[in-house]
Amino acid sequence: MQVIALLMAMLVGLSGCGLRPSATTVPSISEGSLKPVSGAEGERLVVTSKSFTEQLILGKIAVLIGQASGFDVVDMTNVPGSQPVRNLMVSGQADVFFEYTGTAWLTYLGHETGIPDQHEQWQAVHDEDAQNGLTWGAAAPLNNTYAFAVRAEYADQHGIATLSDMAKVPAADRTLCVESEFNSRTDGLNPMLEVYGLPRGDSNGVPEGNISLMDTGTVYQATADGACDFGEVFTTDGRIQSLNLVVLEDDKQFFPAYNAAPVFGTEFLQRYPELEQRFAEVAVLLNDDTMRGLNYKVDVEGADPSQVAFEWMQEQGFIG
């Protein structure tokens, strides 16, 4: 009765903030390779997430990890906005979610520039966020950061695999499609072109007339259609796969790292330290290609994020 009363009080508090439990639920699971955590039986674990596709999938994966670990999981995924999710964690109303290292570093912790090295960025966030009562678990390989992509046939034709390879293309043919925000960011287009030795507006770099500003949703299709040869993308977007685009390697490590990692309420994790290892077992398999495929199933094929997460967890043997 005490657990029920606490749960109802929490839900009332969240409802007052305009937040509700997730409207979709994951299917029932049976035993797989993930084993219950000592003392988890009958204990509540509140999982949250943001409301865009990738976060919904990661949130449902977190729900399934919690269930497989033996907790009574409260599914509080699909929260609109990054800051409300952050507030749930810092206030102790939620116990775990997947967050991006670059987002925490730049948005929550207030730093002006990111750290391109993925491990260094994770370590910096891990150390600084400890003072906020949060513990960062091991990061997944998936790095949802900015990138440029080209058509697969274009990459083959010109021998392009990295951002440095843009220099192989004549300046007149270096056509770029970018979103307005990226065009003006301090870690966006202009400094990126400088780092790669292709200054904007330079006849030997990227002529101003070669840059097209577009809405985020149109860049992918414009690149696939050949309206531009280089399109700004996010590395784990499912449209990369569906449109047969190739992501160019950021070989000079310009872009900040945005690795996804499970973030735990420190007090909760101190009571159930084994939970960190359960998440680590799953996170290590979440790379860019895997996440693109999962996002594709939702955004392109119209699948439900809960079902996508469940089927992937089953395929990996984590659950039955």
Side-chain angles (χ1 to χ4, degrees):
M1 290 300 294
Q2 184 178 10
V3 171
I4 294 174
L6 287 171
L7 177 56
M8 291 303 296
M10 185 196 73
L11 294 179
V12 168
L14 291 176
S15 297
C17 298
L19 305 179
R20 299 289 191 279
S22 175
T24 62
T25 59
V26 296
S28 299
I29 68 171
S30 56
E31 185 175 349
S33 64
L34 290 180
K35 303 304 179 185
V37 166
S38 300
E41 184 177 0
E43 296 298 315
R44 189 188 71 219
L45 172 71
V46 181
V47 176
T48 190
S49 82
K50 305 171 195 180
S51 57
F52 59 87
T53 296
E54 183 167 298
Q55 275 282 297
L56 292 173
I57 295 170
L58 291 174
K60 298 304 183 181
I61 287 174
V63 167
L64 291 164
I65 296 171
Q67 291 179 348
S69 299
F71 291 94
D72 290 340
V73 176
V74 177
D75 183 350
M76 199 60 63
T77 57
N78 197 23
V79 174
S82 296
Q83 195 60 56
V85 173
R86 172 76 173 186
N87 291 343
L88 287 174
M89 290 296 302
V90 172
S91 67
Q93 295 181 81
D95 302 309
V96 64
F97 81 125
F98 277 94
E99 182 56 281
Y100 304 97
T101 53
T103 300
W105 186 250
L106 297 169
T107 302
Y108 306 136
L109 300 176
H111 296 275
E112 293 186 358
T113 58
I115 302 173
D117 183 88
Q118 296 183 24
H119 179 72
E120 289 181 10
Q121 180 66 93
W122 175 88
Q123 190 67 59
V125 171
H126 171 276
D127 294 349
E128 190 164 328
D129 230 3
Q131 66 187 355
N132 297 314
L134 301 177
T135 298
W136 284 70
L142 81 89
N143 179 24
N144 189 2
T145 189
Y146 288 107
F148 273 83
V150 299
R151 302 183 306 282
E153 63 272 20
Y154 187 88
D156 291 339
Q157 179 184 356
H158 295 279
I160 295 175
T162 69
L163 283 175
S164 291
D165 288 339
M166 290 177 66
K168 294 180 179 180
V169 180
D173 297 334
R174 293 180 198 132
T175 53
L176 280 60
C177 290
V178 301
E179 60 178 343
S180 298
E181 180 184 351
F182 182 77
N183 179 60
S184 59
R185 286 176 65 99
T186 57
D187 59 350
L189 181 60
N190 293 344
M192 185 213 81
L193 292 175
E194 290 287 347
V195 165
Y196 280 95
L198 301 170
R200 180 175 185 162
D202 192 308
S203 59
N204 294 316
V206 177
E208 189 65 36
N210 286 13
I211 301 171
S212 299
L213 303 186
M214 299 182 173
D215 293 333
T216 304
T218 60
V219 170
Y220 294 81
Q221 191 64 55
T223 306
D225 291 343
C228 55
D229 292 320
F230 300 90
E232 172 226 339
V233 299
F234 291 100
T235 50
T236 59
D237 195 296
R239 287 169 291 187
I240 292 170
Q241 177 177 318
S242 67
L243 295 172
N244 197 28
L245 301 177
V246 174
V247 175
L248 301 181
E249 178 189 351
D250 179 17
D251 53 310
K252 293 188 176 181
Q253 292 192 318
F254 170 78
F255 292 115
Y258 281 84
N259 293 88
V263 182
F264 306 90
T266 300
E267 290 186 7
F268 186 90
L269 191 62
Q270 287 173 343
R271 298 199 301 274
Y272 308 102
E274 295 174 61
L275 184 61
E276 185 172 2
Q277 180 57 35
R278 301 297 186 275
F279 271 83
E281 291 176 42
V282 176
V284 71
L285 298 183
L286 290 167
N287 57 34
D288 287 358
D289 286 339
T290 295
M291 202 68 239
R292 273 196 290 267
L294 298 178
N295 288 334
Y296 172 87
K297 291 181 179 180
V298 175
D299 288 334
V300 179
E301 297 181 346
D304 180 83
S306 297
Q307 190 65 33
V308 169
F310 177 81
E311 290 176 357
W312 182 79
M313 290 283 286
Q314 266 196 332
E315 289 168 2
Q316 307 309 314
F318 293 126
I319 59 175

